[in-house]
Each structure stands twice: as C-alpha cells, then as structure tokens.
C-alpha cells in the first residue's frame, strides 16, 4: 500500500510539473525579445560578422604561458573604437593585458551595472595531435577549429557582439553594460586580481556578472538542460612527501621513501570522503528527476532522505557527473622520486588535486588527510597558503529569471538547472564584491565537441556562432534595456 501511495505521489508531482512547464512556456512564448525586433536581413549581416570576427579572434595566439593578451586586446579595441564604445586597455605586465569597455545607462536613474566577463588567454596545445592548424580557424564540415573555440574565445566574441548590437540598435539602457576581457585566467588569475585591486571603480558596484561556464550538452540532437553555474568547488592542492632510508636499488628496503609514499597514497585513494547535499545540488537533482527512471527519480526528489541508502550511494559513486556534487574529491595527479633507476631516494613526493565544496574548512580537511595517512614519516601540506573558500550565487535574481525566459524561447521545453562545477572559475573572485556571478554559455555543444576543451581539435559549429550572440543579446536586454 505504501509503495502504491509513493508511486501515486510521484505521478501527481510529475503531472503538476508538466502542467507548470506548459503554462510557463505559453506565457514566455508570448514574450517578445529584443532580437525579434531586428529585421532578418540585418540579423543575417550580424551573424556573418560574428563568424568573420570569430575566425579572426581564434587566429590570435594567446597561449598561456606566456599569454601576450595585448594582441587580443588590440583586436577588441579596434572594433570598439570603430563602434564608438568607450574602452581602456591596461598592459599591467609585459606579457599580460586587460581590456575594459562600457556602454553607459541612458535613463535618468540607473540600476547597478552588469559585467560581461571573459578571458583572452588559452591553454597550450600539441599541434601534432590536431588535424587542423591550432590557430588556423579553418572551417571543416561546418565547424571552426581553433584553440579557444570552447574555452572561451567564442563566449568573449558573443559578448563583443552584444556590445556592438546594443550600440548599433540604439538600445536604451537602465544600467551600464561593462565588457571586461582579462588576461591570465588559465594560469594565475592575475588579470582579474589586477582589475579588482587597481581599477575597482571601473566595475561600477555591479549587480550581475556573466562569465564562462554552464553546461548545454546535446544528446542525440536534443538539448537535455541548460546548466547555469551558480557555484564552483575550491581547489585545495596538497603536496605529500615521504621520507625514508636511501640506498642502492639492488638492495630493497621496506622503509624506503617510495614504499612509504605508495602506502600513504593507497590509504588516501581508498578514503571515501563524507557525502552531503547542498541546497544547489538538491535543486539541481529535483529538476532533473522528471527525465530519470522511476528509481533514480525517487532518489533525486529526496536526495537528503536517501543519502545513506546504499543503492543511492552506488548510483552517485559510479557516475562522475554526480559524485563530485556530494563530496570533497581527491585526485592523484603527480608523482616524483629518484632521478636514477638504481638509486633509492631519501624522499618521494606526490601532488593531489583536492576540490572542496562551498563553505568547507580547509584546515579540518587537511587534518583528516593527515589522520588517514597516519605515518610520522609522511608530511602533507598545502601547495599554496592562498585559499579561497568557495561561494555561490542565488537563483532568485532578475538575471537568473532571464536565463529561464530566454531558454524557453530558444529551446522550448528545456529546463534551466542550477549547476555546481567541479572546477574553478573567476566568479569566485567577484562574488565577494557583492556581485551575483553566473557561468552561462549561449552556445550548445555535443559531448564530443565539449570534450575538445583543453583537448585536441577544439572547435565550435558555425551555426552556433551565428546564433549564440543572439541568445546572449536577449539575456542582456532582459535585465538592462530601459523601458
């Protein structure tokens, strides 16, 4: 009887959810968006321009290290100057540059600004493993190939197009729209840090910020959901050193540093960190539930209730896309020891990549790892003293509501889900300033395309370049256009 009752409750829940979705879609379908007021022939010209600038931008080599983002800053500045958009470039080191631009509000009273944040540097590449030139921006089978196509030059290009459209279409603004292209995100985050430390006034006490992130993956040609990054996990990298008796490799000894290190790492890798359900994860799972099997839906709707259920734990731990949402994670990434095969070294070391959930205490986690190791001859220390506690932004804001409305227009029936990323991005730098910061991607990608980020043959479909800026334009208009 209880099972029948639970099944009935689930059915009623999903029916109500479906009715709500239909009603919401009907309401939002009647909403007009800024892009719809632009004649089709003019929008086609904008789309052509986007593809041209995308290729030009991807051909600029800003591999970091060293960066040399002044080349990209010059690219942006040339366009912004031609469009009559206020801008400034900051060459804060010989190899790193930031660029700031602004469209001021046109209303008598103004809301706090919105920032469109992007980074101009890209990661290193091994050209031998690419089928196209890394910085060629060649179009092959409908896709543009180039380092930065997924991370994140395409998003920066969409943000630039938004600035151009707002200016050319003479959109009245009730808040400043700030374009901020920074350097060194892939290595040291010095570009954002420099702006915050030295040009805080140019951020204008902003209310909102849109950055890279989000997860809009197509499966079998259908977009499953639009993921908006509302929070990120904090990196807490640890350096482990084992000390032991050195000697000749021909005479093994059980107390050697490499042996002690392997024993310590075996304990660490086997350690199952505690699970917990954050509010953002709970909301993410509940909204995913309608598209899951009945068993998974039961767990997703009541994650906290079933967290100690062995079957639910198995589901979580067998799925990399779920496991990191529930716990602090540990990945073994680097090892080092002797420089010679026949030498047993006095020390052997390893680095582990730890990612902590928002509001976790790094000191407490460090002590837990030392307790797991339980060896006085093995030390565990943070790689850096600079730790930033992870933070996140709410989902009840005007900007988040704009993500929902614009998604309903471009991708009817697709839910918008709050997402906690496993990695780190610069939203963490801006939230402490009182800015609601979100990772949002106006493009969609297949799983294969998404996997090229930081990988080989990085690419984006031409059709996405032609559409993505329009999606972002409607989002920005929804929160910044004056009445």
């Amino acid at each position: 009887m209880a099972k029948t009752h639970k099944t009935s409750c689930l059915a009623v829940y999903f029916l109500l959810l479906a009715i709500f979705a239909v009603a919401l879609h009907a309401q939002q379908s009647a909403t007009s968006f800024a892009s719809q007021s632009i004649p089709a022939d003019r929008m086609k010209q904008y789309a052509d321009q986007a593809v041209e600038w995308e290729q030009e931008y991807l051909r600029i080599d800003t591999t970091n290290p060293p960066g040399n983002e002044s080349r990209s800053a010059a690219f942006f500045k040339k366009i912004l100057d031609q469009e009559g958009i206020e801008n400034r470039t900051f060459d804060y080191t010989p190899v790193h540059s930031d660029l700031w631009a602004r469209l001021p509000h046109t209303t008598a009273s103004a809301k706090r600004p919105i920032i469109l944040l992007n980074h101009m540097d890209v990661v290193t590449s091994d050209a031998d493993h690419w089928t196209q030139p890394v910085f060629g921006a060649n179009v092959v089978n409908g896709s543009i190939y180039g380092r930065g196509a997924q991370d994140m030059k395409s998003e920066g290009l969409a943000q630039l197009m938004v600035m151009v459209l707002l200016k050319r279409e003479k959109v009245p603004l009730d808040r400043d729209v700030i374009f901020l292209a920074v350097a060194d995100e892939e290595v040291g985050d010095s570009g954002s840090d420099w702006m915050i430390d030295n040009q805080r006034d140019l951020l204008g006490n902003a209310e909102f910020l849109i950055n890279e992130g989000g997860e809009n993956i197509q499966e079998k040609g259908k977009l499953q959901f639009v993921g908006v990054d509302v929070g990120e996990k904090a990196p807490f990298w640890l350096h482990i050193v084992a000390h032991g008796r050195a000697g000749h490799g021909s005479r093994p000894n059980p107390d050697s540093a490499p042996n002690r290190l392997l024993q310590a790492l075996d304990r660490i890798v086997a350690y199952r960190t505690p699970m917990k359900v954050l509010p953002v994860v709970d909301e993410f799972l509940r909204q995913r539930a309608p598209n899951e099997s009945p068993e998974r839906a039961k767990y997703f709707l009541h994650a906290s209730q079933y967290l100690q259920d062995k079957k639910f734990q198995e589901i979580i731990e067998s799925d990399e896309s779920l496991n990191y949402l529930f716990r602090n994670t540990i990945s073994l990434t680097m090892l080092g020891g002797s420089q010679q095969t026949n030498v047993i070294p006095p020390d052997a070391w390893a680095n582990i990549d730890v990612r902590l959930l928002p509001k976790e205490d790094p000191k407490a986690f460090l002590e837990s790892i030392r307790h797991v190791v339980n060896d006085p001859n093995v030390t565990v220390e943070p790689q850096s003293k600079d730790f930033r506690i992870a933070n996140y932004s709410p989902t009840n804001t005007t900007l988040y509501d704009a993500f929902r409305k614009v998604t309903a227009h471009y991708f009817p029936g697709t839910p918008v889900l709050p997402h906690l990323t496993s990695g780190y991005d610069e939203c963490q730098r801006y939230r402490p300033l009182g800015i609601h910061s979100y990772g949002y991607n106006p493009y969609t990608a297949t799983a294969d395309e998404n996997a090229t980020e930081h990988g080989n043959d990085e690419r984006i479909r031409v059709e996405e370049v032609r559409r993505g800026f329009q999606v972002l334009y409607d989002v920005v208009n929804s929160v910044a256009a004056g009445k």
Side-chain angles (χ1 to χ4, degrees):
M1 183 69 180
K3 184 176 181 181
T4 303
H5 176 69
K6 287 182 179 179
T7 303
S8 299
C9 288
L10 278 173
V12 171
Y13 173 83
F14 290 139
L15 178 60
L16 291 174
L17 198 63
I19 293 172
F20 173 76
V22 171
L24 183 64
H25 175 56
Q27 176 187 356
Q28 293 173 342
S29 295
T31 303
S32 61
F33 290 92
S35 62
Q36 294 174 308
S37 65
I38 300 176
D41 60 337
R42 192 155 76 238
M43 185 61 80
K44 180 182 181 301
Q45 293 173 3
Y46 283 134
D48 292 342
Q49 183 70 83
V51 173
E52 179 183 335
W53 283 344
E54 171 85 7
Q55 290 181 280
E56 187 176 346
Y57 189 25
L58 289 178
R59 288 177 182 136
I60 302 172
D61 183 352
T62 51
T63 300
N64 191 15
N68 291 323
E69 295 91 352
S70 61
R71 303 167 182 172
S72 288
F75 164 77
F76 284 136
K77 181 172 179 55
K78 179 181 177 181
I79 295 170
L80 293 165
D81 285 345
Q82 290 173 345
E83 300 295 329
I85 297 173
E86 175 190 9
N87 68 88
R88 294 175 63 184
T89 300
F90 302 96
D91 300 320
Y92 65 92
T93 78
V95 295
H96 293 311
S97 302
D98 289 344
L99 180 137
W100 170 94
R102 180 182 63 179
L103 288 169
H105 66 275
T106 58
T107 54
S109 60
K111 301 173 184 175
R112 293 163 59 194
I114 179 172
I115 297 173
L116 306 179
L117 174 69
N118 65 88
H119 66 83
M120 297 177 285
D121 60 323
V122 298
V123 296
T124 57
S125 310
D126 185 346
D128 291 340
H129 293 277
W130 284 57
T131 63
Q132 299 295 319
V134 174
F135 296 100
N138 293 342
V139 178
V140 180
N141 296 325
S143 293
I144 306 174
Y145 283 64
R147 175 60 85 214
Q150 290 292 329
D151 181 16
M152 69 165 294
K153 285 188 171 181
S154 297
E155 287 144 290
L157 189 281
Q159 293 175 3
L160 175 70
M161 289 297 301
V162 169
M163 299 293 285
V164 170
L165 264 69
L166 290 172
K167 179 69 173 183
R168 291 188 187 178
E169 298 299 319
K170 298 179 174 59
V171 177
L173 300 173
D174 61 10
R175 66 173 88 226
D176 293 357
V177 179
I178 296 171
F179 176 87
L180 183 58
V182 298
D184 195 36
E185 189 273 347
E186 297 290 2
V187 176
D189 295 306
S190 64
S192 277
D193 286 346
W194 189 90
M195 287 297 299
I196 291 170
D197 292 341
N198 296 278
Q199 299 292 335
R200 177 84 63 89
D201 289 348
L202 294 183
L203 304 181
N205 189 30
E207 181 177 8
F208 298 123
L209 180 147
I210 297 177
N211 188 23
E212 65 179 330
E215 185 173 314
N216 311 332
I217 307 300
Q218 293 182 356
E219 295 181 13
K220 298 179 181 179
K222 178 176 173 56
L223 188 60
Q224 300 301 303
F225 60 85
V226 169
V228 176
D229 291 346
V230 299
E232 303 78 30
K233 298 180 75 174
F236 185 51
W237 296 348
L238 300 180
H239 183 61
I240 303 165
V241 181
H243 309 279
R245 181 161 55 88
H248 198 288
S250 66
R251 296 188 177 186
N253 76 74
D255 293 326
S256 72
N259 285 353
R260 286 187 178 279
L261 179 65
L262 289 177
Q263 292 163 8
L265 293 177
D266 186 56
R267 298 187 193 106
I268 292 172
V269 171
Y271 175 49
R272 297 172 71 237
T273 55
M275 290 186 181
K276 61 179 63 177
V277 182
L278 297 177
V280 62
V281 175
D282 186 54
E283 184 177 350
F284 173 76
L285 294 173
R286 282 189 287 103
Q287 291 193 42
R288 277 190 59 177
N291 296 318
E292 300 292 333
S293 66
E295 181 183 36
R296 286 170 67 94
K298 175 186 72 174
Y299 292 132
F300 281 25
L301 285 171
H302 308 286
S304 296
Q305 176 183 337
Y306 287 104
L307 192 58
Q308 301 307 316
D309 184 284
K310 295 299 183 184
K311 179 62 177 177
F312 188 31
Q313 290 183 357
E314 290 175 5
I315 290 174
I316 292 171
E317 293 181 337
S318 64
D319 188 336
E320 291 181 7
S321 69
L322 290 178
N323 186 49
Y324 81 86
L325 295 172
F326 290 86
R327 58 175 15 133
N328 302 321
T329 57
I330 303 169
S331 292
L332 172 61
T333 57
M334 297 180 70
L335 295 165
S338 176
Q339 300 300 309
Q340 195 168 330
T341 303
N342 62 351
V343 174
I344 297 174
D347 301 312
W349 62 270
N351 289 342
I352 58 175
D353 184 342
V354 173
R355 303 289 170 141
L356 300 183
L357 291 167
K359 299 186 178 180
E360 287 289 293
D361 181 356
K363 292 182 180 179
F365 184 85
L366 178 61
E367 287 306 312
S368 71
I369 295 299
R370 287 171 174 165
H371 180 75
V372 168
V373 170
N374 193 30
D375 186 339
N377 292 304
V378 178
T379 60
V380 184
E381 298 293 342
Q383 288 188 40
S384 171
K385 295 180 180 179
D386 181 21
F387 176 80
R388 299 169 187 262
I389 295 177
N391 48 52
Y392 55 93
S393 295
T395 60
N396 61 343
T397 65
T398 304
L399 179 56
Y400 197 90
D401 188 51
F403 295 143
R404 289 193 181 102
K405 291 178 179 178
V406 172
T407 296
H409 172 64
Y410 284 94
F411 311 107
T414 302
V416 175
L417 306 185
H419 196 248
L420 179 71
T421 65
S422 59
Y424 166 88
D425 66 46
E426 292 188 324
C427 286
Q428 293 287 323
R429 250 70 173 177
Y430 293 89
R431 291 195 187 103
L433 306 182
I435 305 174
H436 296 312
S437 305
Y438 301 94
Y440 175 74
N441 193 337
Y443 304 108
T444 69
T446 65
D448 287 344
E449 291 165 345
N450 188 62
T452 65
E453 179 180 335
H454 287 211
N456 302 321
D457 284 342
E458 189 172 356
R459 60 192 182 272
I460 184 172
R461 275 169 287 134
V462 173
E463 65 186 45
E464 289 297 321
V465 177
R466 298 183 68 86
R467 179 182 61 187
F469 74 89
Q470 300 176 50
V471 177
L472 187 59
Y473 178 67
D474 284 333
V475 168
V476 174
N477 265 273
S478 296
V479 296
K483 305 301 181 183

